[in-house]
């Protein structure tokens, strides 16, 4: 009898231990992907990495169960990753180039879905002692596309023809320069090409007779540079006088060279890459940061007060 009682107590103890183990929280499978957990590699255009890097940090703090890795490269490099199906999400400052678009058409690849993040200005920036501070969009177009045109022919106060410095042909900055400033025409002017935006800025800083091309977020609040004001004719033919390069004029469409940053997705599902893109485009803390950084977040609200 005593032996049976001991066996019964042992059975009860084992049963209670089993129940206790069942009530313990199970370790989460880190490889399981949900909208707030899993592993994700995002590819970012290196021309805007300095701006977007803080948004990625905010995402990591908001979703610690996501193992986010960010790879950067030129717009050409990250777009090729997307087109090859190796990247599930990229953050880029340009759309498809002609050859990329043709390749997609040839292989019947649909345009990728995307989340628009923000708009920024493509700027012409110079050192503080540069002789001019204003230019016209038609003059910019001419000196880029006509080898017989020069800045000196428009501005006699220039002692010698300035050198134009820009990131190389693989960059989104170069692509947007050709699309917006040169209106899609071939570039006839010899340009000084660099592999990074920082190299362009360093060159302009050290060479007073130079003009750099970069995004406003690359040079904003940098006391070494000023951005040239640009007059232009809008889509209706109305002349828009030159204005300071500022997000307020980007919002109103009163600047000629406006670029859009996007998160582009390989898949068409509301999966982890999609929700990552939504976060860096729409989350209030992110749009507030982008607004304060001087760009125009797509999902931010602005209250413009027009001067008399």
């Amino acid at each position: 009898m005593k032996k049976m009682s001991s066996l019964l107590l042992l059975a009860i103890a084992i049963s209670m231990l089993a129940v206790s183990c069942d009530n313990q929280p199970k370790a989460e499978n880190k490889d399981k992907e949900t909208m707030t957990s899993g592993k994700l590699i995002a590819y970012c255009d290196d021309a805007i990495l300095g701006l977007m890097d803080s948004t990625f940090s905010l995402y990591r703090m908001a979703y610690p169960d996501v193992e986010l890795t960010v790879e950067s490269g030129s717009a050409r490099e990250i777009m090729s990753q997307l087109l090859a199906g190796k990247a599930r999400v990229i953050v880029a400052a340009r759309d498809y180039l002609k050859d990329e678009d043709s390749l997609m058409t040839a292989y019947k690849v649909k345009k990728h879905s995307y989340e628009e993040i923000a708009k920024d200005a493509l700027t012409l920036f110079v050192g503080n002692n540069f002789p001019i501070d204003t230019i016209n969009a038609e003059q910019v177009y001419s000196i880029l596309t006509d080898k017989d045109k020069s800045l000196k022919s428009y501005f006699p106060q220039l002692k010698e023809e300035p050198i134009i410095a820009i990131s190389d042909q693989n960059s989104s900055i170069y692509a947007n320069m050709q699309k917006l400033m040169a209106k899609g025409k071939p570039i006839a002017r010899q340009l000084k090409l660099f592999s990074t935006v920082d190299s362009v800025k360093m060159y302009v800083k050290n060479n007073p007779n130079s003009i750099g091309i970069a995004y406003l977020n690359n040079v904003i609040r940098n006391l070494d540079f000023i951005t040239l004001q640009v007059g232009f004719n809008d889509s209706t033919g109305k002349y828009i006088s030159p204005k300071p390069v500022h997000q307020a004029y980007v919002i109103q469409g009163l600047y000629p060279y406006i670029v859009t940053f996007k998160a582009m997705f390989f898949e068409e599902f509301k999966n982890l890459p999609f929700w990552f893109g939504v976060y860096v485009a729409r989350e209030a803390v992110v749009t507030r940061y982008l607004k304060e950084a001087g760009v125009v977040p797509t999902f931010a609200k602005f209250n413009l007060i027009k001067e008399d």
Side-chain angles (χ1 to χ4, degrees):
M1 184 73 176
K2 187 175 180 180
K3 185 177 181 180
M4 289 187 64
S5 296
S6 297
L7 289 172
L8 181 60
L9 287 172
L10 180 61
I12 292 171
I14 293 172
S15 176
M16 290 178 66
L17 181 62
V19 171
S20 175
C21 290
D22 286 343
N23 288 335
Q24 292 295 320
K26 293 182 173 60
E28 188 174 341
N29 182 1
K30 288 289 185 181
D31 292 330
K32 182 179 179 182
E33 182 175 299
T34 70
M35 62 185 289
T36 59
S37 67
K39 295 180 180 180
L40 178 63
I41 300 176
Y43 293 77
C44 185
D45 183 339
D46 56 16
I48 58 172
L49 181 62
L51 173 73
M52 295 303 301
D53 197 44
S54 292
T55 71
F56 305 147
S57 295
L58 290 168
Y59 177 84
R60 288 188 182 100
M61 288 189 289
Y63 298 108
D65 289 333
V66 176
E67 187 180 316
L68 174 65
T69 301
V70 177
E71 301 282 352
S72 65
S74 69
R76 172 68 83 174
E77 290 168 338
I78 66 168
M79 189 67 79
S80 68
Q81 293 289 321
L82 182 69
L83 294 176
K86 296 179 180 178
R88 300 176 69 195
V89 57
I90 67 170
V91 177
R94 69 158 172 83
D95 212 331
Y96 310 107
L97 299 182
K98 286 183 179 179
D99 63 308
E100 294 165 344
D101 202 31
S102 298
L103 190 65
M104 292 172 65
T105 300
Y107 286 92
K108 298 180 181 179
V109 175
K110 292 194 300 183
K111 303 239 181 227
H112 299 86
S113 58
Y114 64 88
E115 190 76 13
E116 188 174 304
I117 298 171
K119 286 184 167 57
D120 198 6
L122 180 67
T123 70
L124 299 152
F125 69 97
V126 295
N128 291 304
N129 296 319
F130 198 74
I132 63 172
D133 60 8
T134 304
I135 198 167
N136 186 275
E138 285 303 313
Q139 294 170 336
V140 175
Y141 170 76
S142 294
I143 63 170
L144 288 175
T145 61
D146 188 341
K147 61 182 178 60
D148 296 323
K149 294 290 184 181
S150 68
L151 268 173
K152 274 178 61 65
S153 65
Y154 292 114
F155 301 99
Q157 65 268 45
L158 293 172
K159 293 181 180 179
E160 55 183 320
E161 187 65 14
I163 296 168
I164 298 179
I166 188 172
S167 301
D168 64 33
Q169 293 98 327
N170 291 320
S171 72
S172 61
I173 295 174
Y174 190 99
N176 284 316
M177 175 274 295
Q178 186 164 26
K179 176 183 177 182
L180 300 173
M181 294 180 174
K183 303 177 185 178
K185 301 292 184 183
I187 303 301
R189 186 187 181 95
Q190 185 173 357
L191 306 175
K192 187 82 172 176
L193 303 179
F194 294 89
S195 59
T196 66
V197 182
D198 286 341
S199 297
V200 174
K201 290 159 62 177
M202 184 61 68
Y203 183 83
V204 174
K205 180 180 178 180
N206 294 329
N207 293 272
N209 187 48
S210 62
I211 300 174
I213 299 178
Y215 299 130
L216 180 59
N217 81 81
N218 299 138
V219 296
I220 195 170
R221 303 187 185 97
N222 189 323
L223 299 181
D224 292 323
F225 309 121
I226 60 172
T227 50
L228 299 185
Q229 300 182 31
V230 186
F232 69 105
N233 291 88
D234 68 13
S235 58
T236 68
K238 178 183 176 182
Y239 179 69
I240 307 298
S241 61
K243 294 174 174 57
V245 188
H246 189 274
Q247 66 187 166
Y249 295 114
V250 172
I251 295 168
Q252 298 175 77
L254 299 178
Y255 184 75
Y257 312 131
I258 298 175
V259 300
T260 302
F261 307 155
K262 300 176 181 178
M264 303 175 70
F265 312 111
F266 180 71
E267 300 149 315
E268 294 186 2
F269 308 116
K270 291 188 176 180
N271 52 12
L272 182 58
F274 171 81
W275 292 113
F276 163 80
V278 167
Y279 181 91
V280 297
R282 304 191 185 207
E283 189 66 28
V285 66
V286 173
T287 58
R288 185 162 56 249
Y289 156 73
L290 292 173
K291 185 176 178 182
E292 291 171 356
V295 299
V296 182
T298 301
F299 293 94
K301 290 184 179 179
F302 291 85
N303 294 315
L304 296 178
I305 301 174
K306 291 193 175 183
E307 298 178 353
D308 294 333

